[in-house]
Amino acid sequence: MTTQDTRTADLVIVGAGPAGVSAAIEARWHGLSVLLLDENAAPGGRIWQALEARGAKDEDDADALRILQAFRGCEADAHWGATVWAIDPDGTVYWSADGATRSVRGAFVLLATGTTERPLPIPGWTLPGVMTVGAAQIALKTAGLVPTGATWMAGQGPLLLLYAVQALRAGGRFAGVLDLSDRRAKWGALPHLPRAMRALTDLRKGLLWWNQIRRARVPWIRASDLHAQGEGALSRVRFRTGGRIRVEPADLLLLHDGVTPSVQITRALGLAHTWDAAQRSWKPTTDEWGASSLANLLVAGDGTGVGGALAATFAGRLAALGAACKLGRIDVATRDAAAAPLRAARARHLALRPLLDALYAPRPPMLDDTTLVCRCEEVTAGQIRAAATIGALGLNQLKAFTRCGMGPCQGRMCGATAAEVMAAARGVPVEQVEPYRTRFPTKPLTLGELAALNEDA
Amino acid sequence: MLTRPESATLPTNDTLTVYFAGRPIAARAGDSVAAALLAGGITVTRQTPVTGAARGPYCMMGACFDCLAVVDGRPSVQTCMTQVRDGMRIDRQDGARGLAIEP
Amino acid sequence: MAQAEHASESFDVAVIGGGMVGTAIAYGCAARGARPALLDQGDLSLRAARANAGLIYSQGKGEGLPAYAAWTRRSISLWPAFAEVMASAASRPIGFRQRGVLAFCLGEEELEARRALLQRMHNQLGGPAAPVHLLDRHAVEAMLPDVRLGPRVVGATYSPEDCDVNALPLLRALNAGFLQAGGTHLLERTVARIIPRGDGFDIVSDRDTVHAAKVVVACGLGIPHLAPMVGLHAPVRPVRGQMIVTERLAPMLPIPGSGVRQIHEGVVQIGTTTEEGEIVPATTVADLARMAARAVQVIPALAEARIVRSWAGIRPMTPDGCPIYQQSPAHPGAFVAVCHSGVTLCAAHAGPLAEGILAGKLPDDVADLQPDRFDAHTT
């Protein structure tokens, strides 16, 4: 392999969100050498994106900024604008920055790559002017853009509430919010309320957001059967509410149906995954120190199951402690003593999760045949159903038969939906549908950049 | 649509200019190209090579590949993962890209 | 959906293995009016069928074994008509083209090696599977006006009658055609045993037992486990192939090259590797880099193209690289069929081979492609 950069590190961290930066701080504290890679220009991941540039707006932000400052001071070797595209089982990590690839071998590699948004495919969802709520939040945090005019939000989940509050605070306006959640989910959520009370602060926060949106008089509409419509770009939304159909002008539609762990890299590594029924997602199997089915490959944060930023910080620290002990920098007693309060704190912050998972339970999509599932290759739900009738049992045979999942996004946008459509067509539980097999490179690089790594004459 | 409020409180306010299909668009240092385009009212950055359908930024985090455009003559650039530069030229990417870099 | 949940009926032929070989044979049987069943595992079985370059390729085939060259020639002659049948079975194009295939030569050494191979094939009994010409750089440039070749390209060997096809739509078409012709899919079954009975065979899987008058063991790397149960012998070993696929590009390569091919959707396929003994279908950075480097040497402008995905597949390889066909001497009606070039031979498998299986006698074309060639030391 490439000989220009045969550097090594005790711990290589992919992702500078809450889990990644916390792991870096903890690892550096115990004397490990740390190399951290992130695609963005600064630390923070999604939830704390551009926080250093934006400044703190509330106490949560202030706490987060303190962690980022500690990270800056911990002397981890951080590389920004670095896109990881391959990882070898021996811990060699390849990344691309400025059109050239470098590599490092970590005794341990920690994946802290968080989540992607669950797709919410509706008719017309590929029209320009339809984006995710997460996208709008990124635009707000990095460029200060706010929604105006005829902006609609649709879907369900805490992020939808949070963004609404942030956008309103920044001077944005919404034409309305279409609540696509299951009305009966409230009842399914009730049993989880007692446990959720352990995270009283988080619970109160959520209610506060809800109240702020109400006070801003943003129309909150229980809806279903949403269509995005327009000729070449979004110009209206069509939905069913209160037993009738409404059509409203729209120039921006923001969709959200929760987030799901990023498994692109963990799948390409062939790691073991388990199905999380409550969150209706696959997640890599990890032990209490974040070790996956490959002992030197660690995973921490939302990538092991959605739990929120604070839970992620503790998970990152636990992973670093585990690595530090395995590398002989601390003994088992020290490790366990340090870990105990972290586990307790993490458990407290995860207490709200079962309630949220039930309240915002992802619903199996009901797509008509003409709705696109694979955005890249423009494959419809109908084509997926047809493939199931001629022998495609899972997503890999589906890919072969229809090109679904063969585009540049490598199935990130379509995998969850394709599995649901196929499961419904076959009459099996969705977790029985084999997911896409992904392989490195998991991010695009040019043939030239890859060719430059060739050592043969 | 997404707009930049007059009372923007971002500390950096270096304005610069990028060009989309020759049309000047105001931007700020630190914007992604996609954000600058959206703020300028542009939602279409490409036509797909599969059916020619119009597409534009969707996820803003480098995962969907719908925001591809030709940037300074270079095709298939993810505009949401690219920061603006003063004088940058952005053009719609229509269909399958060619190989030679346009001068 | 003609998929049996519990197979209680009896079939004329049970084909084990839903890959390129098995599905072609199963389709051929169904198209001839038989009642075949096609047994296959789940979505993630080894599936060499998804790991090929889609070339219908004759160059170098059958060196030292003229029967293979002849069999390849026969399949290529059947391909155009077969392609039309497949396209209508799938109701969509399968990307079949008969424009020949170019094998680029980088550097004089490669050119000399190809020249020597051409000479050997020419001198062999029956000659090459199909005509091959040695082209110098100018001739190659004339054939590819929309690309500039790298400086190390000194020429190529060109087989004008060869073809290429999109292998995955082909597999889909075979499955669709098989079902349309009345075939039965028996999926998610891993066959554990084949038991000869008086009137046929019991095929025991983890789900049920299927009975058929004839059985075809066509499950690639699974063959060594099952074949001996019915007196068949077909040694195969695993060989890994990796490939790179680019983003869609404007049309620039009208003729497929053996390592660089642009399919009609516009993506360029680059590869493959041939790695002995690798059984994990993973890609490796070193091999990807090597394939990329070669592609960029052939067409330097490809350096700007973005890689959209890569894949790796484990394929069966026989001791001499040539196919193996056999009807069991001890249990007539039991057959084995395996090859490395499942796409090239697909037309022959769906045609004369399927016909022979149904008639209970393998075609004469494959008489010299039996496994006994590995026992005897012929000169």
Side-chain angles (χ1 to χ4, degrees), chain A residues 377 396-397 410 439-440 456, chain C residues 43 50 248 281 290 310:
Chain A
E377 293 290 324
N396 296 289
Q397 200 75 323
Q410 300 185 342
R439 292 195 180 87
F440 297 115
D456 304 347
Chain C
D43 187 63
R50 296 203 290 250
R248 289 169 185 251
R290 193 173 309 121
S310 67

Side-chain angles (χ1 to χ4, degrees), chain C:
Chain C
M1 160 165 25
Q3 195 194 129
E5 279 304 308
H6 297 286
S8 52
E9 46 190 311
S10 188
F11 297 94
D12 297 330
V13 186
V15 179
I16 302 171
M20 200 58 81
V21 176
T23 315
I25 291 171
Y27 164 77
C29 291
R32 283 167 178 76
R35 277 182 54 254
L38 180 62
L39 288 88
D40 200 29
Q41 290 180 309
D43 187 63
L44 258 201
S45 49
L46 278 177
R47 295 238 179 274
R50 296 203 290 250
N52 61 66
L55 296 181
I56 297 163
Y57 188 53
S58 66
Q59 294 188 36
K61 297 277 177 72
E63 187 190 358
L65 192 53
Y68 180 32
W71 184 231
T72 299
R73 182 182 312 126
R74 183 155 187 210
S75 192
I76 293 177
S77 74
L78 293 169
W79 246 106
F82 177 62
E84 275 192 42
V85 172
M86 284 291 99
S88 66
S91 330
R92 62 180 66 185
I94 59 168
F96 175 78
R97 304 181 295 194
Q98 189 163 32
R99 298 183 189 166
V101 177
L102 281 163
F104 296 103
C105 300
L106 293 177
E108 289 298 330
E109 241 181 73
E110 274 187 27
L111 191 66
E112 276 317 301
R114 299 297 295 188
R115 188 198 306 273
L117 173 65
L118 251 59
Q119 196 64 32
R120 293 196 301 276
M121 295 301 302
H122 176 75
N123 291 340
Q124 179 168 285
L125 185 69
V132 193
H133 312 297
L134 191 66
L135 304 179
D136 66 14
R137 184 189 166 92
H138 294 297
V140 181
E141 281 172 338
M143 297 181 73
L144 304 174
D146 294 324
V147 297
R148 187 173 57 79
L149 298 172
R152 289 198 66 216
V153 178
V154 296
T157 51
Y158 177 55
S159 40
E161 292 173 17
D162 285 352
C163 328
D164 68 321
V165 71
N166 286 2
L168 301 180
L170 169 64
L171 196 60
R172 185 183 184 287
L174 283 169
N175 277 286
F178 170 72
L179 292 171
Q180 282 162 26
T184 302
H185 265 157
L186 296 175
L187 304 179
E188 289 190 298
R189 284 164 172 84
T190 298
V191 175
R193 295 186 59 198
I194 311 172
I195 306 170
R197 299 283 188 217
D199 59 344
F201 302 88
D202 280 347
I203 294 112
V204 183
S205 75
D206 51 352
R207 260 174 87 162
D208 49 25
T209 297
V210 175
H211 186 79
K214 296 188 171 75
V215 64
V216 181
V217 184
C219 47
L221 290 167
I223 287 173
H225 172 61
L226 293 177
M229 295 177 187
V230 280
L232 292 164
H233 172 58
V236 287
R237 63 185 196 276
V239 169
R240 183 168 70 188
Q242 299 179 45
M243 178 171 274
I244 295 169
V245 185
T246 71
E247 59 183 322
R248 289 169 185 251
L249 303 171
M252 43 143 226
L253 209 52
I255 298 170
S258 63
V260 183
R261 180 171 86 115
Q262 184 174 32
I263 65 177
H264 81 262
E265 285 89 349
V267 304
V268 173
Q269 297 177 338
I270 288 156
T272 59
T273 58
T274 310
E275 303 164 75
E276 292 283 344
E278 292 291 349
I279 56 168
V280 177
T283 52
T284 69
V285 173
D287 288 308
L288 294 176
R290 193 173 309 121
M291 290 189 287
R294 187 177 170 93
V296 165
Q297 285 192 60
V298 175
I299 302 173
L302 277 174
E304 285 307 307
R306 290 185 192 281
I307 297 163
V308 157
R309 60 193 179 90
S310 67
W311 54 249
I314 312 300
R315 305 170 56 182
M317 182 66 85
T318 63
D320 57 3
C322 304
I324 297 173
Y325 308 101
Q326 183 190 32
Q327 175 164 207
S328 172
H331 304 287
F335 297 85
V336 66
V338 62
C339 70
H340 196 69
S341 304
V343 175
T344 303
L345 296 176
C346 193
H349 289 160
L353 187 71
E355 205 168 291
I357 286 169
L358 288 178
K361 182 182 178 305
L362 289 172
D364 292 337
D365 312 65
V366 305
D368 288 345
L369 298 176
Q370 315 261 345
D372 55 11
R373 69 185 189 265
F374 304 120
D375 309 325
H377 293 283
T378 55
T379 49

Side-chain angles (χ1 to χ4, degrees), chain A residues 4-147:
Chain A
Q4 315 113 279
D5 258 322
T6 45
R7 69 174 83 181
T8 58
D10 290 329
L11 180 63
V12 176
I13 300 174
V14 182
V21 298
S22 301
I25 295 165
E26 185 77 33
R28 287 294 303 134
W29 181 253
H30 297 290
L32 272 63
S33 57
V34 174
L35 189 147
L36 179 139
L37 303 162
D38 194 288
E39 284 182 319
N40 300 288
R46 291 281 144 255
I47 188 141
W48 300 338
Q49 184 158 24
L51 189 54
E52 291 168 321
R54 288 182 283 130
K57 295 212 168 34
D58 56 31
E59 227 178 272
D60 284 347
D61 280 355
D63 291 339
L65 255 185
R66 270 190 285 277
I67 296 178
L68 292 182
Q69 277 156 13
F71 166 73
R72 290 289 192 186
C74 80
E75 292 177 356
D77 182 12
H79 295 257
W80 308 106
T83 303
V84 170
W85 57 266
I87 302 182
D88 286 342
D90 72 355
T92 306
V93 179
Y94 303 86
W95 79 90
S96 174
D98 298 320
T101 283
R102 299 157 77 188
S103 65
V104 60
R105 194 173 71 251
F108 288 91
V109 176
L110 171 62
L111 298 175
T113 54
T115 58
T116 49
E117 283 187 75
R118 180 185 305 275
L120 207 178
I122 58 170
W125 70 304
T126 54
L127 283 170
V130 180
M131 301 203 304
T132 62
V133 167
Q137 194 182 52
I138 289 167
L140 173 63
K141 287 180 174 175
T142 60
L145 304 189
V146 299

